[in-house]
Amino acid sequence: MRPKRILVTGGAGFISSNFVRHLLSSTPNEVVSLDALTYAGNMDNLADLIGHERLSFVHGDIRDPDLVAEVVSDIDVIVNAAAESHVEKSIEEGGGEFVTTNVEGTQVLLDAIRRRPVDRFILFSSSEVYGTALDAPMAEEHPLNPRSPYAATKAGADRLAYSYWVTYDLPIVIVRPFNNYGPYQHPEKVVPRFITNALQDEPLTVHGDGHASRDWVFVDDVAEAIEAVIAADDRVHGEVINLATGRDLSVEAIADAVLERLGKPASLKVHTPERPGQVDRHIGSTDKAERVLGWRARTAFEDGLDRTIGWYDDNRAWWESPLRAETSVYSS
């Protein structure tokens, strides 16, 4: 099969930069990375890839219809990972910025491929669209009960993309990753926040009693899953697929594990009031991903955490930069 030309939106962000790195190291495909370079998208995330003969970068916004039309004109596959993603910011500031990027940006991309078809459009949705688990593990048919403005906008984009498959027969696939972690994740997020705070002997703040649990998926496993979506036959169109491990761990347990691995005292862990709209439990079913894609997460959380701690310890200049330090007041 000939190499594909793949557009990765939000391509300088956490998951997407790791996916770009995976594509360039494990496939013959060409990659176009499109990113507006806001707080979460940073060229430092692609620094080791700059100059790669199969990577091109476009600085721009998915909400710009003219730019999007130009970029998609010679693209085979779109992976839409561009998003405003931190939950607490959406709670504290409201949904405005989240609606324009997560919903309207997706709409611009979808309308662009109505005019200029592609082989496949993969939307990064989120497990946050489910809300708290009504049953466990959560399958793709679980009701959508988003509990934050961020989650609601992801649900909106998710259902909008699905409607374009139903209405226009576009080659849409929707993936719902559970809680990702790994290198290059912004320190606003809970795993890197715990790691970077522990490395600096600063408090690890846990919301409420720390019982809230999540299904933690290592970012390299997610990259392999998206590669599998690209390679799948056309029967995958219109499908919604969880990217999960089928195992959940509490935020309290994550804090304890980080402190133990770094040899830090338990007294660094402190509890703060529960945040509004907290989701109590997230654990995803892996059955459909295994059946449809032949994919299963390969990285045990303990191994992934060790690799992630090692990366943050070795790359302090990356997370100590003023851009990331000044926005780490939020977490999710």
Side-chain angles (χ1 to χ4, degrees), residues 150-168:
Y150 157 71
T153 61
K154 293 300 285 186
D158 181 310
R159 293 298 82 194
L160 183 65
Y162 180 80
S163 77
Y164 272 59
W165 171 70
V166 173
T167 306
Y168 306 112

Side-chain angles (χ1 to χ4, degrees), residues 3 20 32 49 113 126 168 176 210 239 269 303:
V20 168
V32 178
L49 304 176
I113 67 169
S126 168
Y168 306 112
R176 293 177 181 160
E239 297 288 356
K269 182 178 65 179
D303 295 336

